[in-house]
PDB file of all heavy atoms in Angstrom:
ATOM      1  N   PHE D1455      -7.090   6.547  12.608  1.00 89.00           N
ATOM      2  CA  PHE D1455      -8.235   5.918  11.985  1.00 89.00           C
ATOM      3  C   PHE D1455      -8.881   5.012  13.081  1.00 89.00           C
ATOM      4  O   PHE D1455      -8.389   4.879  14.179  1.00 89.00           O
ATOM      5  CB  PHE D1455      -7.778   4.963  10.828  1.00 89.00           C
ATOM      6  CG  PHE D1455      -6.677   4.014  11.233  1.00 89.00           C
ATOM      7  CD1 PHE D1455      -6.969   2.706  11.679  1.00 89.00           C
ATOM      8  CD2 PHE D1455      -5.386   4.388  11.175  1.00 89.00           C
ATOM      9  CE1 PHE D1455      -6.023   1.867  12.059  1.00 89.00           C
ATOM     10  CE2 PHE D1455      -4.347   3.486  11.477  1.00 89.00           C
ATOM     11  CZ  PHE D1455      -4.696   2.278  11.947  1.00 89.00           C
ATOM     12  N   ILE D1512       8.525 -11.234  10.185  1.00 92.00           N
ATOM     13  CA  ILE D1512       9.809 -10.775  10.709  1.00 92.00           C
ATOM     14  C   ILE D1512       9.620 -10.062  12.033  1.00 92.00           C
ATOM     15  O   ILE D1512      10.563  -9.715  12.724  1.00 92.00           O
ATOM     16  CB  ILE D1512      10.547  -9.834   9.711  1.00 92.00           C
ATOM     17  CG1 ILE D1512       9.644  -8.728   9.216  1.00 92.00           C
ATOM     18  CG2 ILE D1512      11.063 -10.681   8.586  1.00 92.00           C
ATOM     19  CD1 ILE D1512      10.405  -7.831   8.275  1.00 92.00           C
ATOM     20  N   SER D1542      -9.721  -9.130  24.788  1.00 64.00           N
ATOM     21  CA  SER D1542     -10.618 -10.291  24.784  1.00 64.00           C
ATOM     22  C   SER D1542     -11.925 -10.013  25.514  1.00 64.00           C
ATOM     23  O   SER D1542     -12.924 -10.703  25.405  1.00 64.00           O
ATOM     24  CB  SER D1542      -9.951 -11.503  25.408  1.00 64.00           C
ATOM     25  OG  SER D1542      -9.382 -11.059  26.612  1.00 64.00           O
ATOM     26  N   SER D1545     -16.527  -5.957  26.857  1.00 54.00           N
ATOM     27  CA  SER D1545     -16.934  -4.625  27.567  1.00 54.00           C
ATOM     28  C   SER D1545     -15.984  -3.469  27.454  1.00 54.00           C
ATOM     29  O   SER D1545     -16.296  -2.374  27.530  1.00 54.00           O
ATOM     30  CB  SER D1545     -17.238  -5.019  29.103  1.00 54.00           C
ATOM     31  OG  SER D1545     -16.024  -5.348  29.586  1.00 54.00           O
ATOM     32  N   LEU D1556      -1.386   6.539  14.027  1.00 89.00           N
ATOM     33  CA  LEU D1556      -0.262   5.842  13.416  1.00 89.00           C
ATOM     34  C   LEU D1556       0.688   6.778  12.720  1.00 89.00           C
ATOM     35  O   LEU D1556       0.295   7.660  11.970  1.00 89.00           O
ATOM     36  CB  LEU D1556      -0.821   4.703  12.535  1.00 89.00           C
ATOM     37  CG  LEU D1556       0.260   3.761  11.918  1.00 89.00           C
ATOM     38  CD1 LEU D1556       0.917   3.015  12.951  1.00 89.00           C
ATOM     39  CD2 LEU D1556      -0.373   2.873  10.974  1.00 89.00           C
ATOM     40  N   ASN D1565      15.665   8.423  10.647  1.00 84.00           N
ATOM     41  CA  ASN D1565      16.886   8.713  11.364  1.00 84.00           C
ATOM     42  C   ASN D1565      16.624   9.866  12.448  1.00 84.00           C
ATOM     43  O   ASN D1565      15.895  10.795  12.136  1.00 84.00           O
ATOM     44  CB  ASN D1565      17.926   9.343  10.413  1.00 84.00           C
ATOM     45  CG  ASN D1565      18.606   8.174   9.639  1.00 84.00           C
ATOM     46  OD1 ASN D1565      18.517   7.080  10.089  1.00 84.00           O
ATOM     47  ND2 ASN D1565      19.156   8.564   8.494  1.00 84.00           N
ATOM     48  N   ALA D1568      19.152  14.412  15.871  1.00 85.00           N
ATOM     49  CA  ALA D1568      19.657  14.931  17.147  1.00 85.00           C
ATOM     50  C   ALA D1568      20.563  13.930  17.849  1.00 85.00           C
ATOM     51  O   ALA D1568      21.713  14.246  18.354  1.00 85.00           O
ATOM     52  CB  ALA D1568      18.486  15.240  18.094  1.00 85.00           C
ATOM     53  N   GLN D1580      28.056  19.899   9.453  1.00 90.00           N
ATOM     54  CA  GLN D1580      28.292  18.526   9.273  1.00 90.00           C
ATOM     55  C   GLN D1580      27.063  17.704   9.299  1.00 90.00           C
ATOM     56  O   GLN D1580      26.866  16.722   8.471  1.00 90.00           O
ATOM     57  CB  GLN D1580      29.341  18.003  10.426  1.00 90.00           C
ATOM     58  CG  GLN D1580      30.714  18.483  10.103  1.00 90.00           C
ATOM     59  CD  GLN D1580      31.644  18.062  11.246  1.00 90.00           C
ATOM     60  OE1 GLN D1580      31.173  17.991  12.419  1.00 90.00           O
ATOM     61  NE2 GLN D1580      32.904  17.868  11.047  1.00 90.00           N
ATOM     62  N   ARG D1584      25.468  15.426   6.565  1.00 91.00           N
ATOM     63  CA  ARG D1584      25.146  14.056   6.872  1.00 91.00           C
ATOM     64  C   ARG D1584      23.727  13.589   6.409  1.00 91.00           C
ATOM     65  O   ARG D1584      23.545  12.591   5.885  1.00 91.00           O
ATOM     66  CB  ARG D1584      25.326  13.821   8.370  1.00 91.00           C
ATOM     67  CG  ARG D1584      24.971  12.501   8.885  1.00 91.00           C
ATOM     68  CD  ARG D1584      25.901  11.388   8.349  1.00 91.00           C
ATOM     69  NE  ARG D1584      25.746  10.183   8.983  1.00 91.00           N
ATOM     70  CZ  ARG D1584      26.318   9.807  10.162  1.00 91.00           C
ATOM     71  NH1 ARG D1584      27.151  10.571  10.720  1.00 91.00           N
ATOM     72  NH2 ARG D1584      25.985   8.630  10.662  1.00 91.00           N
ATOM     73  N   GLN D1594      19.833   5.880  -3.799  1.00 94.00           N
ATOM     74  CA  GLN D1594      20.559   4.871  -4.506  1.00 94.00           C
ATOM     75  C   GLN D1594      19.908   3.468  -4.196  1.00 94.00           C
ATOM     76  O   GLN D1594      19.746   2.605  -5.124  1.00 94.00           O
ATOM     77  CB  GLN D1594      22.019   4.839  -4.009  1.00 94.00           C
ATOM     78  CG  GLN D1594      22.900   3.961  -4.844  1.00 94.00           C
ATOM     79  CD  GLN D1594      24.298   3.905  -4.251  1.00 94.00           C
ATOM     80  OE1 GLN D1594      24.487   4.086  -3.165  1.00 94.00           O
ATOM     81  NE2 GLN D1594      25.247   3.683  -5.154  1.00 94.00           N
ATOM     82  N   ARG D1608       9.978  -7.529 -16.633  1.00 92.00           N
ATOM     83  CA  ARG D1608      10.368  -8.007 -17.855  1.00 92.00           C
ATOM     84  C   ARG D1608      10.207  -9.512 -18.003  1.00 92.00           C
ATOM     85  O   ARG D1608       9.721 -10.076 -18.984  1.00 92.00           O
ATOM     86  CB  ARG D1608      11.864  -7.597 -18.119  1.00 92.00           C
ATOM     87  CG  ARG D1608      12.253  -7.753 -19.598  1.00 92.00           C
ATOM     88  CD  ARG D1608      13.597  -7.153 -19.900  1.00 92.00           C
ATOM     89  NE  ARG D1608      14.451  -6.840 -18.754  1.00 92.00           N
ATOM     90  CZ  ARG D1608      15.477  -7.452 -18.253  1.00 92.00           C
ATOM     91  NH1 ARG D1608      15.706  -8.685 -18.817  1.00 92.00           N
ATOM     92  NH2 ARG D1608      16.087  -6.996 -17.229  1.00 92.00           N
ATOM     93  N   TRP D1621       1.040 -21.495 -26.943  1.00 89.00           N
ATOM     94  CA  TRP D1621      -0.387 -21.866 -26.927  1.00 89.00           C
ATOM     95  C   TRP D1621      -0.928 -21.842 -28.352  1.00 89.00           C
ATOM     96  O   TRP D1621      -1.679 -22.672 -28.729  1.00 89.00           O
ATOM     97  CB  TRP D1621      -1.174 -20.986 -25.935  1.00 89.00           C
ATOM     98  CG  TRP D1621      -2.616 -21.198 -26.132  1.00 89.00           C
ATOM     99  CD1 TRP D1621      -3.535 -20.211 -26.370  1.00 89.00           C
ATOM    100  CD2 TRP D1621      -3.413 -22.410 -26.169  1.00 89.00           C
ATOM    101  NE1 TRP D1621      -4.778 -20.744 -26.511  1.00 89.00           N
ATOM    102  CE2 TRP D1621      -4.710 -22.084 -26.422  1.00 89.00           C
ATOM    103  CE3 TRP D1621      -3.037 -23.673 -25.957  1.00 89.00           C
ATOM    104  CZ2 TRP D1621      -5.723 -22.989 -26.409  1.00 89.00           C
ATOM    105  CZ3 TRP D1621      -4.014 -24.697 -25.989  1.00 89.00           C
ATOM    106  CH2 TRP D1621      -5.355 -24.350 -26.235  1.00 89.00           C
ATOM    107  N   GLN D1625      -2.361 -25.022 -30.073  1.00 91.00           N
ATOM    108  CA  GLN D1625      -3.840 -25.046 -30.329  1.00 91.00           C
ATOM    109  C   GLN D1625      -4.052 -25.397 -31.835  1.00 91.00           C
ATOM    110  O   GLN D1625      -4.900 -26.160 -32.241  1.00 91.00           O
ATOM    111  CB  GLN D1625      -4.367 -23.643 -30.146  1.00 91.00           C
ATOM    112  CG  GLN D1625      -5.874 -23.530 -30.380  1.00 91.00           C
ATOM    113  CD  GLN D1625      -6.327 -22.139 -30.190  1.00 91.00           C
ATOM    114  OE1 GLN D1625      -5.615 -21.145 -30.321  1.00 91.00           O
ATOM    115  NE2 GLN D1625      -7.587 -21.954 -29.874  1.00 91.00           N
ATOM    116  N   LEU D1627      -2.054 -27.230 -33.652  1.00 94.00           N
ATOM    117  CA  LEU D1627      -1.843 -28.728 -33.840  1.00 94.00           C
ATOM    118  C   LEU D1627      -2.955 -29.514 -33.282  1.00 94.00           C
ATOM    119  O   LEU D1627      -3.400 -30.475 -33.957  1.00 94.00           O
ATOM    120  CB  LEU D1627      -0.509 -29.018 -33.068  1.00 94.00           C
ATOM    121  CG  LEU D1627       0.762 -28.486 -33.650  1.00 94.00           C
ATOM    122  CD1 LEU D1627       1.961 -28.815 -32.732  1.00 94.00           C
ATOM    123  CD2 LEU D1627       0.997 -29.151 -35.070  1.00 94.00           C
ATOM    124  N   LYS D1647     -21.040 -49.188 -41.207  1.00 82.00           N
ATOM    125  CA  LYS D1647     -22.551 -49.256 -41.261  1.00 82.00           C
ATOM    126  C   LYS D1647     -22.990 -49.394 -42.768  1.00 82.00           C
ATOM    127  O   LYS D1647     -24.188 -49.177 -43.013  1.00 82.00           O
ATOM    128  CB  LYS D1647     -23.088 -47.940 -40.627  1.00 82.00           C
ATOM    129  CG  LYS D1647     -22.898 -47.926 -39.195  1.00 82.00           C
ATOM    130  CD  LYS D1647     -24.014 -47.250 -38.397  1.00 82.00           C
ATOM    131  CE  LYS D1647     -23.711 -47.223 -36.971  1.00 82.00           C
ATOM    132  NZ  LYS D1647     -23.930 -48.473 -36.301  1.00 82.00           N
TER     133      LYS D1647
END
Side-chain angles (χ1 to χ4, degrees):
Chain D
F1455 54 92
I1512 52 179
S1542 47
S1545 61
L1556 183 64
N1565 284 337
Q1580 283 174 329
R1584 179 62 173 272
Q1594 190 184 29
R1608 195 171 9 102
W1621 169 235
Q1625 183 184 27
L1627 289 174
K1647 293 214 182 285

